[in-house]
Amino acid sequence: MNAFEINGLSKVYENGNRALNDVSLTVPKGSFYALLGPNGAGKSTMINILADTVRPSSGTVSLLGHDLFNERNWCKRRMGVVPQEIAFDPFFTPREVLRFTSGLFGCKPDEAWLDELLDRLELTVHAGKKARQLSGGMRRRLLVAQALVHRPELVILDEPTAGVDVELRRKLWDFMRELNDAGTTILLTTHYLDEAEELCDHVAIIDHGALLTAQPMRALMRDIASSYLWLNYGQAVTLTDADHDALAGLEPRSSDEGVCLKLGRSENGDSTFHQTYQAAVARFGPPLDAGVRSEDLEDVFLRLTRRAGGDDAAAECKS
Amino acid sequence: MRQWNLLGAWSLFLREVRRFLKVKMQTIMTPALTAMLYLVIFRYAMGDRHVPGMNVDYFTFLVPGLAMMAMLQNAFANTSSSMIMGKVMGMHIYLLMAPLSAFEVVVAFLAGAVVRAVVVATVFLLVLMPFVDLSMPHPGIVLLYGICASIIMGGLGLIGGMWARDFDQVAMVTNFVILPLTFLSGVFYSVKQLPEFWQVINHANPFFYLTDGFRYGFLGVGDTDPYASVGVVLVTVVVTVIACWQLWRSGWHMKE
Ligand SMILES: Nc1ncnc2c1ncn2[C@@H]1O[C@H](COP(=O)(O)OP(=O)(O)OP(=O)(O)O)[C@@H](O)[C@H]1O
Ligand SMILES: [Mg+2]
């Protein structure tokens, strides 16, 4: 059973902005899913459609096998959403807000659970303050608590850590990981790609409203992330046409201190490190230093989204 | 499968009530005080004069009208300010994300408006008790007209709040539509005192029937027959509630 099955979802805003274009995506139950994309990619639009604050133009979504658009309230009871925009009610304190939100979702406020939420989100000492006295990061954490009051099976977080300091960000992710270990499905957006890479087991990248890729994190890093061999010659190496011909397939590029070649896998799955190194030495002589650098999620993200933007620049080749 | 969320609607209703209780100076005391100031001013301006064609003095005539005017304005203020505040602060998305039907949302908001209107009117009347005879020969009419008026105005406030993009637009509706209609609903005069042209205009103002019926409940006299107007009033209530319900359901001005 999948948490979400999104099919052909599109959204055209009233001003003609096409924010989502035929996106199909499956979020497995129990996954920790990262939805990534540059600013304006359409992430929040998608989340807001799931949350019922934006109307879809077309497409279908099934949530745990139920039609989201026809069984809204059944679905809403099982879903907690942290919106990207900070929202707060200046009249009420965090504790009052959490009680009210519990009620809205049809749950009698479970004080023990509210205490735990306040505690885990480091809001206990602020629980009695008026919302307008809270700082930006505290308000954001309150939104996270609000999304969890009814113990939803699916949690959707739209940039939950924006404006949250390093230590509290760690704590927040620890908490999310615990929830995930206990079976909660988590779908999040973030611009901290290192955090996404570390935490999430699935990833989808969208840009300009279109899905670029959606796969398990490991598969993405194995199949799309490349590795590079860098060789340090103490100075930039000018690549001639002859070099390009000789090293065809290795995508040679000169860097500040030498040269950089792409590693691949031979037919039996072994790394081509040895051949590549020997080819480089044959062309340029023995290097002062050499090493392998693997692309991380950020590199893959940049490569994919730049291409989508029409700019086919390869990932940077740093040592 | 229909799943009610009564606890959700109840929570929303409680929030609506708490919201105005948290600022009771502004929401209860100020309207009651304003109504009393009108009363004092007109009392001294008009002296002991009687209202033409009615066997009541002007002071007694004014009291129920002012109570009704306060109810109308406060019912409108409660829903419209809550909606626009929610939109400006972003809190309204919780109403959209919660498993609440449109009907539950509307009923909770309107109930909140009725409570605010009733509390304001009650405070006003309690203060005046010692000074004026409030024998209320038709309490049923008072209750019916008071509650119906609050629902209608609460509904209009809800629609106004949904429509508005900022506080300014709400103020615009309040000042240019609601204030004139309530001031000209026969609070300060009996229509019989007016030239014929203005009498006709007044009869086209829906709030005129509400104010007049409400006053009839208190004094036993009025310009219209409140039993004859009950049907019109009830139909207006139903139309208002259905309009709110359908607009909320469609996401009008609330969802992109
Ligand atoms: N209410 C709206 N009306 C018109 N266009 C909108 C509206 N909201 C968003 N858009 C447009 O839709 C596109 C997608 O916006 P969206 O907010 O979904 O992006 P995002 O991926 O969440 O970006 P970010 O990382 O900045 O949060 C953008 O081009 C944006 O300008
Ligand atoms: Mg966004």
Side-chain angles (χ1 to χ4, degrees):
Chain A
M1 170 101 58
N2 288 312
F4 287 108
E5 277 169 32
I6 298 170
N7 249 310
L9 199 62
S10 295
K11 172 65 188 179
V12 182
Y13 283 105
E14 265 165 45
N15 63 2
N17 250 353
R18 181 170 280 276
L20 275 186
N21 197 357
D22 195 20
V23 171
S24 299
L25 194 66
T26 299
V27 178
K29 194 160 183 277
S31 59
F32 205 132
Y33 207 110
L35 176 63
L36 307 177
N39 287 145
K43 305 180 295 297
S44 298
T45 300
M46 183 154 134
I47 286 178
N48 293 341
I49 289 172
L50 299 179
D52 200 19
T53 61
V54 166
R55 281 181 286 221
S57 302
S58 61
T60 59
V61 177
S62 101
L63 180 147
L64 298 172
H66 290 248
D67 181 341
L68 179 68
F69 301 140
N70 284 327
E71 297 175 61
R72 268 292 186 192
N73 288 347
W74 188 91
C75 295
K76 283 175 174 180
R77 284 172 193 268
R78 284 156 186 84
M79 193 164 58
V81 181
V82 180
Q84 179 176 11
E85 295 292 326
I86 290 209
F88 71 100
D89 198 326
F91 286 109
F92 297 103
T93 65
R95 188 178 289 280
E96 289 172 322
V97 167
L98 294 185
R99 285 193 190 128
F100 167 60
T101 315
S102 300
L104 275 191
F105 280 84
C107 308
K108 284 224 169 62
D110 172 351
E111 295 294 335
W113 175 238
L114 298 191
D115 283 337
E116 186 177 342
L117 284 175
L118 288 166
D119 179 48
R120 295 303 302 261
L121 293 157
E122 307 270 332
L123 287 167
T124 307
V125 293
H126 310 294
K129 289 183 184 169
K130 285 269 155 59
R132 74 165 83 84
Q133 296 167 316
L134 301 180
S135 76
M138 293 172 198
R139 284 177 196 165
R140 172 87 55 201
R141 272 139 52 208
L142 179 57
L143 294 184
V144 176
Q146 275 179 270
L148 299 174
V149 284
H150 56 299
R151 298 176 186 268
E153 290 170 58
L154 316 172
V155 177
I156 304 179
L157 308 108
D158 198 350
E159 296 189 34
T161 53
V164 175
D165 72 43
V166 186
E167 197 194 331
L168 289 174
R169 215 153 68 212
R170 287 256 164 78
K171 288 188 179 162
L172 180 66
W173 288 138
D174 286 344
F175 189 22
M176 292 303 124
R177 213 196 301 249
E178 267 175 46
L179 290 175
N180 183 242
D181 288 343
T184 309
T185 306
I186 297 184
L187 171 67
L188 63 89
T189 74
T190 179
H191 291 292
Y192 298 103
L193 298 186
D194 47 337
E195 290 179 352
E197 185 175 355
E198 190 192 321
L199 280 163
C200 299
D201 50 31
H202 283 72
V203 60
I205 300 180
I206 63 174
D207 196 12
H208 300 287
L211 186 71
L212 301 181
T213 183
Q215 23 189 329
M217 184 71 77
R218 245 196 247 162
L220 178 85
M221 297 312 289
R222 186 187 61 222
D223 299 342
I224 300 191
S226 317
S227 297
Y228 294 89
L229 170 65
W230 55 267
L231 302 109
N232 187 338
Y233 290 99
Q235 63 189 64
V237 173
T238 316
L239 294 170
T240 62
D241 283 347
D243 291 332
H244 279 289
D245 288 343
L247 300 171
L250 299 178
E251 301 177 11
R253 274 175 295 141
S254 66
S255 67
D256 290 348
E257 303 198 295
V259 73
C260 198
L261 298 169
K262 186 175 180 194
L263 293 175
R265 293 200 176 269
S266 62
E267 269 160 33
N268 58 18
D270 294 338
S271 167
T272 56
F273 170 80
H274 191 66
Q275 301 93 295
T276 309
Y277 182 75
Q278 284 188 328
V281 172
R283 261 340 271 171
F284 311 112
L288 303 174
D289 192 7
V292 173
R293 181 175 177 277
S294 300
E295 281 188 320
D296 58 14
L297 182 59
E298 191 167 313
D299 299 312
V300 171
F301 175 87
L302 284 173
R303 191 147 55 82
L304 290 175
T305 53
R306 277 192 195 147
R307 188 167 301 155
D311 175 4
D312 198 0
E316 278 174 32
C317 175
K318 298 170 289 204
S319 44
Chain B
M1 182 179 51
R2 185 102 209 96
Q3 269 193 348
W4 289 97
N5 181 1
L6 295 180
L7 184 58
W10 175 249
S11 304
L12 181 55
F13 163 71
L14 280 188
R15 185 200 64 169
E16 285 304 286
V17 172
R18 292 205 179 108
R19 221 180 51 80
F20 79 77
L21 287 181
K22 289 226 172 191
V23 282
K24 45 185 164 309
M25 259 336 259
Q26 186 191 331
T27 52
I28 301 171
M29 294 310 173
T30 309
L33 183 72
T34 314
M36 258 165 305
L37 285 174
Y38 280 124
L39 206 56
V40 172
I41 292 166
F42 282 97
R43 169 93 180 107
Y44 286 102
M46 307 302 281
D48 290 335
R49 228 175 293 176
H50 271 59
V51 181
M54 292 183 191
N55 189 23
V56 288
D57 64 80
Y58 200 70
F59 186 68
T60 313
F61 176 87
L62 269 181
V63 171
L66 283 170
M68 182 51 134
M69 190 166 85
M71 289 184 87
L72 293 171
Q73 292 174 355
N74 278 279
F76 183 88
N78 209 57
T79 45
S80 62
S81 68
S82 177
M83 267 327 295
I84 194 62
M85 173 93 80
K87 269 161 83 171
V88 170
M89 297 292 183
M91 282 301 289
H92 70 297
I93 59 165
Y94 282 93
L95 302 180
L96 301 175
M97 295 196 305
L100 280 168
S101 68
F103 192 68
E104 288 162 336
V105 171
V106 168
V107 167
F109 268 104
L110 296 184
V114 170
V115 171
R116 160 107 165 247
V118 169
V119 169
V120 171
T122 307
V123 169
F124 172 71
L125 292 173
L126 281 180
V127 173
L128 287 176
M129 280 273 252
F131 309 106
V132 65
D133 170 28
L134 293 174
S135 48
M136 219 192 283
H138 310 285
I141 289 281
V142 169
L143 212 60
L144 181 75
Y145 272 76
I147 288 176
C148 287
S150 313
I151 294 175
I152 294 168
M153 272 310 221
L156 293 183
L158 194 60
I159 294 171
M162 284 163 73
W163 169 79
R165 302 247 174 252
D166 50 38
F167 288 104
D168 232 33
Q169 290 189 327
V170 168
M172 195 178 83
V173 179
T174 307
N175 294 330
F176 291 98
V177 182
I178 302 305
L179 278 184
L181 283 176
T182 48
F183 267 90
L184 302 179
S185 68
V187 172
F188 300 103
Y189 49 81
S190 156
V191 278
K192 301 211 178 74
Q193 294 167 267
L194 298 177
E196 199 166 332
F197 172 73
W198 286 105
Q199 287 200 25
V200 175
I201 295 283
N202 242 281
H203 278 93
N205 178 354
F207 300 124
F208 163 69
Y209 297 93
L210 293 172
T211 305
D212 198 63
F214 190 68
R215 185 188 294 120
Y216 178 90
F218 272 93
L219 308 179
V221 289
D223 290 323
T224 58
D225 176 1
Y227 291 100
S229 312
V230 165
V232 180
V233 169
L234 287 178
V235 168
T236 315
V237 167
V238 171
V239 169
T240 313
V241 172
I242 290 178
C244 291
W245 175 30
Q246 291 305 321
L247 285 174
W248 185 274
R249 209 161 72 143
S250 75
W252 180 71
H253 278 229
M254 299 296 289
K255 290 187 206 171
E256 297 278 353

